[in-house]
Amino acid sequence: MAAMKAVHEQNNMGLQISSKDKDQTHHRSSSLVLVEKIDGLIRVYRDGHVERPQIVPCVGSSLAPDLGVTCGDTIIDKYTNVWARVYVPRKKQQQLPLLVYFHGGGFCVGSASWICYHDFLAKLASSVNCVVVSVNYRLAPENPLPAAYDDGVVALGWLRKQQFAGGGGEWWTERCDFSSIVLAGDSAGANIAYNVAVRVVTPTLPLKGLVLIQPFFGGEARTDSEKYMVQPPRSALTLAASDTYWRLSLPAGADRDHPWCNPAAAAGKVEELTAARVRVLVCVSEMDILRDRNLEFCERLRNNTKGGGGGGGGGGGGGRKVEQVVSKGVGHAFQILDKSPLSQTRVLELISHINNFIISTCSS
C-alpha cells in the first residue's frame, strides 16, 4: 500500500497548481522563447522548460465493481519513476495471458493514468480476459529516445523477476501465465512495443506476439495518406503535430529516416522477430494519416516472413504470422478519444480482433 500511495503522489505532482504557481509559471513563460508547440498538448522553450496542459484528466486506479476487474499501481523503477497500472479480471481464477501495454502520445505526452487509457484498458482486460500491465514510461523531450525503449526493456526485466519471486512477488503475479506475454500499444506506444520487441526477442524468450494499434512510424518521404488525408480541426494527429513529435523525441540531428522512426531503415530487425516466431497484429484506421505507412509496414513484415504469403491475413510458413485489420471510417486514436456511435462500434470490433489474436497466439 505504501508503494501504491507513492505512485499516486508522484503521478499527481504538478497536476494540482495553485494560483500563485500559475502566476509564476505565466511570468516565467512570458520571458522565455517558445521553440516548439502542439496546441493544447505541449509547449517547449529554448531553455528546456516544458509545459503540458492537463488536457486529459488523470485518475486513480479505482474501477466500477461491475467491470469485474481489480486494478492497482506499482513501481517498476523508483530511480526513473517508471511505474505501471495493472488490470486483473476477477471472473476466472486460472492463469491468464499477460498483455504489456504502452500508451500513445507521440513519446511526449500521455500517461497510464489518463482516464481514456484507464477506461479502455479496463474494458480490454475484462473483454479479452487477460492481465494488462500498462507501463508509464519517461517522456521526451526531457528524456528523448531511446529512454522509452529502455524503460520498456526494464519493465520486461522487472516482470521476469516477478515471475520467479514466488510468494514475495506482486499481488497479481499468481494470475499471470508468464509463458504467454504479448506486447501492445497504440500510436507511439505501438512504436515502443515494436522497438522493445526487436531489442529483447530471442528464440527462447516467451514473447508470443505484438499488438500494434495505429503504430507511429514516419519517414522523410511522404505517403499519400500523409499528403492528402483531410483531418478534422481537432484531429488526434495531424502531419504538423507528427513532425513536431519526431523533432522532440529523436536524438539531436536525426531525421525521420532514423531507424526508430522509419523501421525500413532498421536492417535485420524484422528477421530477428521472424526467427523467434513472434506473431503480429497491426490495427490500422482508415482515416488516419498513418494509414499508408501502417499498410506498408504490414507488407514489409509479410515479405520478411520466411515461407509467408501475402493476402489480408498474412502468411506463416516457418516464421511468424502477420495479421492486419482496418477500422473503417475512423481516425487516429479513435478507440480512446472518439465517443461517436460509429467509433464505439469500431472499438468493440477492435477488441474482438485483439481477443481472437490473443486466443490463437497464446494457445499455439
Side-chain angles (χ1 to χ4, degrees):
M1 291 299 293
M4 292 171 60
K5 180 179 179 182
V7 168
H8 286 301
E9 288 174 349
Q10 293 161 355
N11 184 43
N12 291 325
M13 285 181 64
L15 302 181
Q16 306 296 326
I17 303 175
S18 68
S19 59
K20 179 179 178 181
D21 291 335
K22 288 180 180 178
D23 291 341
Q24 291 174 343
T25 299
H26 175 74
H27 175 73
R28 174 176 170 79
S29 298
S30 63
S31 65
L32 296 175
V33 177
L34 184 69
V35 292
E36 296 281 7
K37 73 170 182 176
I38 300 175
D39 287 339
L41 288 169
I42 189 168
R43 296 167 65 90
V44 181
Y45 296 88
R46 181 174 293 169
D47 73 343
H49 176 65
V50 179
E51 295 174 354
R52 294 181 178 86
Q54 193 183 348
I55 191 171
V56 178
C58 292
V59 297
S61 59
S62 60
L63 290 168
D66 58 359
L67 272 174
V69 175
T70 301
C71 182
D73 294 342
T74 184
I75 294 173
I76 294 176
D77 188 335
K78 65 180 180 181
Y79 299 105
T80 57
N81 197 27
V82 175
W83 57 275
R85 180 159 292 180
V86 184
Y87 303 82
V88 183
R90 293 194 298 267
K91 57 187 175 184
K92 291 186 178 180
Q93 295 305 310
Q94 79 269 26
Q95 288 189 321
L96 303 174
L98 176 57
L99 186 76
V100 182
Y101 196 92
F102 301 94
H103 66 78
F107 307 103
C108 299
V109 299
S111 171
S113 66
W114 270 13
I115 189 170
C116 54
Y117 282 110
H118 186 57
D119 291 347
F120 173 67
L121 294 178
K123 183 185 298 184
L124 189 67
S126 177
S127 301
V128 177
N129 199 36
C130 64
V131 175
V132 177
V133 175
S134 177
V135 180
N136 199 76
Y137 52 88
R138 291 172 292 170
L139 299 177
E142 301 96 325
N143 302 282
L145 295 174
Y149 305 153
D150 293 341
D151 293 343
V153 172
V154 167
L156 289 182
W158 172 80
L159 283 170
R160 289 183 67 82
K161 290 181 181 178
Q162 302 306 314
Q163 176 183 3
F164 299 109
E170 295 280 342
W171 57 273
W172 46 269
T173 55
E174 63 182 18
R175 299 296 311 282
C176 295
D177 178 0
F178 285 96
S179 67
S180 296
I181 298 177
V182 175
L183 300 189
D186 66 295
S187 193
N191 178 300
I192 294 169
Y194 172 75
N195 278 286
V196 169
V198 298
R199 279 181 169 213
V200 304
V201 71
T202 66
T204 59
L205 181 74
L207 181 60
K208 288 283 192 176
L210 288 172
V211 176
L212 308 180
I213 304 172
Q214 305 136 15
F216 185 44
F217 295 127
E220 286 297 307
R222 302 297 194 190
T223 65
D224 284 349
S225 62
E226 289 171 340
K227 291 188 289 187
Y228 305 122
M229 185 74 71
V230 177
Q231 296 296 297
R234 296 183 64 83
S235 170
L237 186 67
T238 64
L239 189 58
S242 173
D243 289 350
T244 301
Y245 284 135
W246 285 120
R247 286 194 300 270
L248 292 174
S249 57
L250 286 172
D255 64 18
R256 293 191 306 276
D257 282 332
H258 190 284
W260 295 337
C261 176
N262 186 351
K269 294 301 183 182
V270 167
E271 288 76 8
E272 293 175 18
L273 287 180
T274 299
R277 304 178 64 85
V278 178
R279 300 179 67 182
V280 185
L281 171 65
V282 183
C283 305
V284 185
S285 292
E286 183 185 34
M287 308 307 292
D288 188 357
I289 64 169
L290 299 178
R291 180 197 64 198
D292 291 351
R293 201 167 294 280
N294 288 174
L295 294 175
E296 290 174 1
F297 174 72
C298 292
E299 188 63 24
R300 181 169 176 265
L301 287 177
R302 291 194 195 100
N303 289 341
N304 282 276
T305 299
K306 300 294 189 289
R320 173 193 65 257
K321 184 175 182 182
V322 180
E323 300 178 30
Q324 74 180 47
V325 296
V326 179
S327 297
K328 300 292 187 179
V330 290
H332 194 76
F334 75 90
Q335 72 283 355
I336 57 168
L337 297 177
D338 189 345
K339 301 301 182 184
S340 69
L342 173 62
S343 177
Q344 294 308 295
T345 298
R346 296 292 181 259
V347 170
L348 294 177
E349 294 170 354
L350 176 66
I351 290 176
S352 177
H353 286 303
I354 295 173
N355 180 57
N356 293 337
F357 176 80
I358 289 180
I359 289 174
S360 63
T361 297
C362 294
S363 61
S364 63

